[in-house]
């Protein structure tokens, strides 16, 4: 049987054996594009969401007052409160009261912050300081500081000193425990690494311990500022001749709920302004720290 020779076209059509030196044939890239379009979800800005709660409460307050569900003898309407705010601002009573209360809160806060910072550093950095100070602070914290008002009157009289002392006492506890906890929560591995790098005691405190305690200290600062205004509400009820508490005491005698609510609103706004300032300070000082900001 004779075989027919293949022509050139048939020869080129046959697959050639693969050689190790041959390059792999290029593979075609297939791009699969989805047909569904991604839709952007509309999100309400955070500033709007944060103000929705207070605005909603004020609106509910206005509606219940306008419809008569909430009588004026129980609580004045927001319109009356705003009118009273304008009147007291024009005659100068409200600005002078805010200035007097702010001065007491500032002096009391500075005294309490100085005491809290000194005690927390001693108790947090040294074991002897912890043994002497921390147990005593834990014992005094269990005593309600509002109940010390009669004792402060006996000690300091009825002038400005007991009011400032009460604010200072209210500020001391949250600052002390948060700074002390922040110092003691420092990672021990960071401390050992700093010592191996040759840092002395002062360098260890400055570059490792204090930065680690800063977040807790800022949390304590927020608590302390709010507690300062809370303590001032009680302190200014004791024979005050100026301040927001003085306006509230006079309004209580004449059943002026509009003035009482106005003074409480001013207290709340002052506390909110202090809290906002601490938030901004935290963002500036804690830029090195990656924080969890919640799910979207």
């Amino acid at each position: 049987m004779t075989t027919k020779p293949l022509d050139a076209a048939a020869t080129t059509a046959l697959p050639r054996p693969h050689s190790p030196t041959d390059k792999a044939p290029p593979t075609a890239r297939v791009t699969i594009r989805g047909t569904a379009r991604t839709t952007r979800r509309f999100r309400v800005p955070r500033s709007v969401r944060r103000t929705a709660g207070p605005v909603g409460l004020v609106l509910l307050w206005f509606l219940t007052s306008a419809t008569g569900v909430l009588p004026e003898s129980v609580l004045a309407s927001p319109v009356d409160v705003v009118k009273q705010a304008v009147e007291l601002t024009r005659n100068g009573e409200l600005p002078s009261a805010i200035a007097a209360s702010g001065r007491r809160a500032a002096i009391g806060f500075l005294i309490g912050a100085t005491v809290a910072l000194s005690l927390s550093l001693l108790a947090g950095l040294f074991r002897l300081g912890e043994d002497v100070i921390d147990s005593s602070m834990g014992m005094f914290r269990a005593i309600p500081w509002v109940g010390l008002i009669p004792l402060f009157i006996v000690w300091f009289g009825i002038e400005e000193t007991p009011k400032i002392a009460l604010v200072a006492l209210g500020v001391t506890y949250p600052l002390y425990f948060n700074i002390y906890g922040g110092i003691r929560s420092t990672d021990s591995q960071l401390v050992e690494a700093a010592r191996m790098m040759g840092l002395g005691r002062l360098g260890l405190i400055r570059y490792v311990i204090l930065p680690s305690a800063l977040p807790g200290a800022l949390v304590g600062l927020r608590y302390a500022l709010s507690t300062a205004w809370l303590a001032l509400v009680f302190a200014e009820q004791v024979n005050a001749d100026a301040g927001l508490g003085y306006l509230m005491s006079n309004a209580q005698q004449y059943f002026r709920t509009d003035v009482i609510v106005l003074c409480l609103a001013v207290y709340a706004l002052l506390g909110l302004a202090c809290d906002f300032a601490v938030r901004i300070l935290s963002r500036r000082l804690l830029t090195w720290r990656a924080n969890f900001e919640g799910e979207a």
Side-chain angles (χ1 to χ4, degrees):
M1 180 177 179
T2 59
T3 58
K4 185 179 179 181
L6 297 175
D7 54 0
T11 305
T12 56
L14 291 175
R16 294 181 299 173
H18 179 69
S19 174
T21 59
D22 292 342
K23 295 182 179 180
T27 57
R29 295 182 179 179
V30 180
T31 304
I32 301 176
R33 296 182 179 179
T35 57
R37 296 181 179 179
T38 58
T39 59
R40 291 185 178 180
R41 294 177 58 186
F42 175 73
R43 294 181 180 179
V44 181
R46 292 195 65 186
S47 58
V48 177
R49 288 183 294 176
R50 292 180 69 90
T51 57
V55 171
L57 290 176
V58 173
L59 182 60
L60 180 62
W61 177 23
F62 173 76
L63 292 176
T64 53
S65 299
T67 55
V69 177
L70 187 64
E72 292 186 0
S73 59
V74 176
L75 188 64
S77 66
V79 178
D80 296 335
V81 174
V82 172
K83 290 180 180 179
Q84 194 62 231
V86 174
E87 181 179 352
L88 292 178
T89 303
R90 287 178 178 177
N91 58 25
E93 293 185 22
L94 186 60
S96 61
I98 295 175
S101 297
R103 182 176 63 254
R104 292 171 183 147
I107 296 175
F109 176 81
L110 290 177
I111 295 175
T114 303
V115 174
L117 182 61
S118 302
L119 295 178
S120 60
L121 289 177
L122 290 175
L125 297 176
F126 307 102
R127 293 181 180 178
L128 179 61
E130 178 187 10
D131 297 337
V132 175
I133 297 173
D134 189 64
S135 58
S136 301
M137 291 296 293
M139 178 182 64
F140 287 128
R141 183 183 60 174
I143 301 175
W145 46 269
V146 180
L148 295 176
I149 294 178
L151 191 59
F152 282 177
I153 293 176
V154 174
W155 288 347
F156 306 115
I158 58 175
E159 300 298 330
E160 292 294 311
T161 305
K163 304 176 181 59
I164 295 174
L166 190 65
V167 175
L169 185 64
V171 166
T172 300
Y173 295 125
L175 266 180
Y176 166 81
F177 285 104
N178 280 276
I179 297 175
Y180 169 76
I183 292 174
R184 287 306 176 95
S185 63
T186 304
D187 192 352
S188 59
Q189 295 181 357
L190 291 178
V191 176
E192 293 298 329
R195 287 174 177 171
M196 291 178 62
M197 293 177 62
L199 281 179
R201 175 173 294 181
L202 293 179
L204 184 66
I205 294 173
R206 178 180 178 182
Y207 295 107
V208 178
I209 296 178
L210 291 184
S212 299
L214 185 58
L218 292 173
V219 173
L221 182 61
R222 292 182 63 183
Y223 278 111
L225 287 172
S226 61
T227 307
W229 293 109
L230 178 62
L232 192 63
V233 174
F234 295 100
E236 290 186 335
Q237 302 296 321
V238 182
N239 194 31
D241 55 357
L244 296 172
Y246 173 72
L247 291 180
M248 292 179 63
S249 298
N250 289 342
Q252 181 185 2
Q253 297 178 2
Y254 298 100
F255 302 97
R256 296 292 303 275
T257 58
D258 51 353
V259 179
I260 296 175
V261 173
L262 173 62
C263 294
L264 293 177
V266 172
Y267 277 125
L269 291 176
L270 290 174
L272 185 63
C274 294
D275 187 77
F276 181 72
V278 177
R279 283 176 176 269
I280 295 178
L281 184 64
S282 300
R283 292 178 182 177
R284 296 290 181 87
L285 296 179
L286 300 179
T287 54
W288 52 271
R289 187 185 182 192
N291 295 326
F292 174 69
E293 297 181 355
E295 298 290 342

